[in-house]
Amino acid sequence: MKAFRLDELEAERAANDGAYLQFLRERNMSVGLYALNAGEHDPQNPHNQDEVYFVVSGRASLTVGMETTQVARGSVVYVPAGVAHKFHHISEDLRVLVVFSPPEG
């Protein structure tokens, strides 16, 4: 078993000065913590993997392809591989768990 605490993951991510911290990588998936602060720009490009976003905290809009939805704590969004997507209009610091399948990278 592998178990994680969000507060520890957030501290590790912040200490590494990065928006993304991959904390689990297995044969069929990887999981990370993605952080964007209020007003910040989301620089990501489409990925070669399917993704599931689980919003831990914050508020923003998320556009996937041609569709836009509002996300906040508790939101879960699936993003198919190769589809353009961005968080925007981030009104509260955003913390998102990201599951990639197959593993990213």
Side-chain angles (χ1 to χ4, degrees), residues 9-10 12-22 32-37 40-44 87 94-98:
L9 295 172
E10 175 62 13
E12 183 179 348
R13 184 206 58 78
N16 289 315
D17 291 327
Y20 184 72
L21 170 71
Q22 183 181 97
L33 178 64
Y34 190 43
L36 293 167
N37 292 326
E40 197 169 354
H41 169 73
D42 182 2
Q44 66 179 320
F87 290 99
L94 197 59
R95 300 300 181 264
V96 181
L97 286 179
V98 185

Side-chain angles (χ1 to χ4, degrees), residues 11-84:
E12 183 179 348
R13 184 206 58 78
N16 289 315
D17 291 327
Y20 184 72
L21 170 71
Q22 183 181 97
F23 62 88
L24 179 64
R25 183 178 182 86
E26 298 294 334
R27 185 172 57 91
N28 294 316
M29 62 176 273
S30 62
V31 184
L33 178 64
Y34 190 43
L36 293 167
N37 292 326
E40 197 169 354
H41 169 73
D42 182 2
Q44 66 179 320
N45 293 310
H47 305 281
N48 295 324
Q49 305 83 2
D50 287 338
E51 294 177 80
V52 173
Y53 287 127
F54 173 72
V55 178
V56 175
S57 63
R59 291 186 177 281
S61 297
L62 173 62
T63 298
V64 178
M66 302 300 289
E67 296 180 84
T68 299
T69 190
Q70 303 301 308
V71 295
R73 186 173 69 102
S75 297
V76 179
V77 179
Y78 166 68
V79 179
V83 176

